Amino acid sequence: MAQMKIIVIALGSDGDINPMIEISLVLKARGHEVEFLANGHFAKRVKTAGLTFVEIGEARLYEEALNTPHVWDARKGFAAIWSVINQSLPITYKIIKERLIPGQTIMVGTTLALVARVVQEETGTPLVTVHLAPSCIISQHQPPVGPDGSLPQSTPLFLKRLYVNMLDTLLLDKACKDDINNFRKPLGLPPVKQVFSKWLHSPTKVVGAFPPWFGEPQLDWPPNSVCTGFPIYRSAQGSQLSRETQDFIKGGAPPIVFTAGSAMAQSSGHFKTALDSIAGQNTRAILISKFADQVPKSLADHVHHSLYEPFDLLFPLASVVQHHGGIGTSAQCMMAGVPQLITPFAHDQFDNAKRLERLGIAKSVKSTGGANAWRQSLSYLTSDTAVRQACARVRQLMTSEQNAAELIADQILH
């Protein structure tokens, strides 16, 4: 293929940005011009990777969003996130339109990059939608798992359809449909509905950036969709754990790693439960959070806090990883072959947790389930032979598959 200009629109947290960096690096290595559009919070990371960065919102807006009330509420979280995305629609639209070269441009957008879908309809520019988690492709045959659990597998299809239609109408469309249509109207575009279950999927190509054994394609997925694998984010060559963390790890048995996610600025309760779950056991643990105010200042000698560590380097050294169920963290755990304790907060995390449990490599408990529930699950995960064997099997699957970033680049350029 002749050299193309590829505009990558990546919206979300680290778990959304990092895989798109991996994909962008492959596209650049193949000789294409790549521009990476994201919030200014990620400027340094994208530039350090060697990519051209274009800011679509100041860093302070992202950081303010992390403290927005309800952003991690299981039922109100999407509306809270949408209120932030909606504010950025005009500037993102303007920046994309300024960079289009007719006949020579391909757009690549994450699930939340709805403005790219608008530009596609208006200009005909090809767009590849990249969904990083299976629940982003809403299926009536396999409805996404929510905070109240999943529908029984035996549920009749008509009831599954009713459930998905209610989810679509009362939660997703209710939050964003009117805003999307108000944005489309001055552009001469007709109104849309079923924004997340139907409209956001590009008619050019839809990529499920996960393997079929994690998210099996469903009969009602878009006909132009394909599963690839997880585009695992890898630290730059020569990267290391911090000296303090290295020293801690060398000081004893493999620790439990506790993290609430890169964007979880409201995690004091999470880390309190984490510490309570290992209280009186002298269990070695590492707490990972860049929000230092969310972690107790005084920690026991067998507990270490780090603001940041590369997960691909840290997780293989852990006994168990406790986390929120974000797809990026989940994939890193699978690659490391380590058991996972999942405590979902919102969004795709409940669905991811259920899929990890089905693989036999994780236990899921409520984030508010209490220290005793965490303690029991951690004990099971660290001692059960079947869990270790399942982790080894999944790690083998991960390492034996073709490079997902390369496969996704093939789909983008096809």
Side-chain angles (χ1 to χ4, degrees):
M1 174 181 280
Q3 184 189 52
M4 299 293 290
K5 180 170 186 177
I6 302 176
I7 301 175
V8 177
I9 307 98
L11 300 183
S13 62
D14 291 47
D16 303 283
I17 303 302
N18 290 343
M20 301 306 290
I21 290 177
E22 292 295 316
I23 297 166
S24 298
L25 289 173
V26 172
L27 293 167
K28 180 182 177 182
R30 295 189 185 185
H32 301 282
E33 179 187 356
V34 179
E35 292 187 330
F36 197 100
L37 279 58
N39 181 271
H41 176 85
F42 300 101
K44 181 179 179 181
R45 184 178 313 174
V46 175
K47 292 177 182 178
T48 300
L51 297 168
T52 299
F53 178 77
V54 180
E55 181 177 297
I56 51 171
E58 298 176 6
R60 65 172 180 81
L61 297 176
Y62 176 83
E63 288 147 15
E64 288 172 5
L66 301 187
N67 292 294
T68 299
H70 308 310
V71 72
W72 293 112
D73 184 286
R75 293 173 175 79
K76 301 176 182 177
F78 175 71
I81 285 179
W82 175 253
S83 68
V84 177
I85 294 174
N86 187 41
Q87 295 176 47
S88 69
L89 289 180
I91 183 63
T92 306
Y93 171 83
K94 179 175 183 292
I95 288 172
I96 293 174
K97 288 291 293 289
E98 289 174 347
R99 283 163 169 75
L100 294 181
I101 301 175
Q104 299 178 43
T105 303
I106 300 173
M107 296 182 292
V108 180
T110 52
T111 302
L112 294 175
L114 303 189
V115 70
R117 183 75 176 86
V118 172
V119 173
Q120 180 192 47
E121 284 189 305
E122 183 189 22
T123 67
T125 304
L127 165 68
V128 176
T129 303
V130 177
H131 296 303
L132 298 170
S135 61
C136 296
I137 312 178
I138 299 174
S139 169
Q140 295 182 341
H141 291 271
Q142 190 178 66
V145 178
D148 297 319
S150 58
L151 294 177
Q153 199 168 18
S154 60
T155 301
L157 181 58
F158 80 92
L159 289 178
K160 291 180 179 178
R161 286 174 174 160
L162 178 62
Y163 173 81
V164 168
N165 287 337
M166 289 175 61
L167 173 69
D168 216 1
T169 303
L170 301 179
L171 180 65
L172 301 174
D173 268 9
K174 182 179 180 181
C176 69
K177 179 169 68 72
D178 289 347
D179 291 330
I180 286 288
N181 287 330
N182 289 338
F183 186 80
R184 293 166 60 83
K185 188 174 182 179
L187 304 176
L189 297 174
V192 294
K193 60 182 180 179
Q194 296 181 293
V195 172
F196 269 78
S197 65
K198 302 292 183 184
W199 172 77
L200 68 78
H201 305 301
S202 170
T204 305
K205 178 72 69 173
V206 175
V207 173
F210 44 83
W213 52 261
F214 186 79
E216 183 181 4
Q218 299 298 306
L219 293 173
D220 55 351
W221 278 17
N224 60 333
S225 60
V226 61
C227 283
T228 55
F230 296 111
I232 299 290
Y233 180 72
R234 294 172 174 81
S235 302
Q237 189 171 3
S239 296
Q240 294 183 342
L241 299 175
S242 67
R243 174 54 57 189
E244 294 79 7
T245 296
Q246 289 185 52
D247 290 344
F248 179 82
I249 290 173
K250 291 175 183 176
I256 298 173
V257 172
F258 292 95
T259 179
S262 63
M264 186 41 151
Q266 305 164 41
S267 54
S268 59
H270 178 94
F271 287 112
K272 182 182 184 304
T273 305
L275 292 173
D276 288 347
S277 72
I278 60 172
Q281 301 179 30
N282 210 37
T283 301
R284 288 164 50 78
I286 297 177
L287 313 182
I288 304 293
S289 176
K290 63 184 177 183
F291 305 101
D293 62 327
Q294 299 297 301
V295 178
K297 292 182 179 179
S298 179
L299 296 172
D301 291 341
H302 57 89
V303 180
H304 170 65
H305 169 237
S306 176
L307 295 172
Y308 170 79
E309 299 293 346
F311 284 173
D312 59 325
L313 303 182
L314 176 63
F315 286 178
L317 305 175
S319 60
V320 178
V321 175
Q322 181 282 317
H323 64 96
H324 58 309
I327 195 63
T329 307
S330 301
Q332 290 285 2
C333 287
M334 284 187 275
M335 181 61 81
V338 63
Q340 306 173 53
L341 172 60
I342 317 296
T343 56
F345 300 119
H347 315 305
D348 63 325
Q349 297 163 11
F350 300 98
D351 192 81
N352 296 336
K354 178 60 69 174
R355 293 173 187 275
L356 293 166
E357 282 194 309
R358 288 173 184 153
L359 291 170
I361 61 177
K363 289 287 287 183
S364 176
V365 299
K366 291 182 178 181
S367 60
T368 57
N372 190 50
W374 288 36
R375 185 182 302 113
Q376 291 178 359
S377 294
L378 289 169
S379 176
Y380 165 75
L381 291 167
T382 53
S383 62
D384 192 270
T385 302
V387 172
R388 293 288 173 180
Q389 292 173 341
C391 288
R393 286 195 300 270
V394 170
R395 185 179 186 280
Q396 178 60 33
L397 284 172
M398 297 281 286
T399 56
S400 65
E401 292 179 343
Q402 286 183 263
N403 183 290
E406 295 281 356
L407 294 175
I408 294 169
D410 291 342
Q411 294 297 325
I412 292 168
L413 300 171
H414 181 68

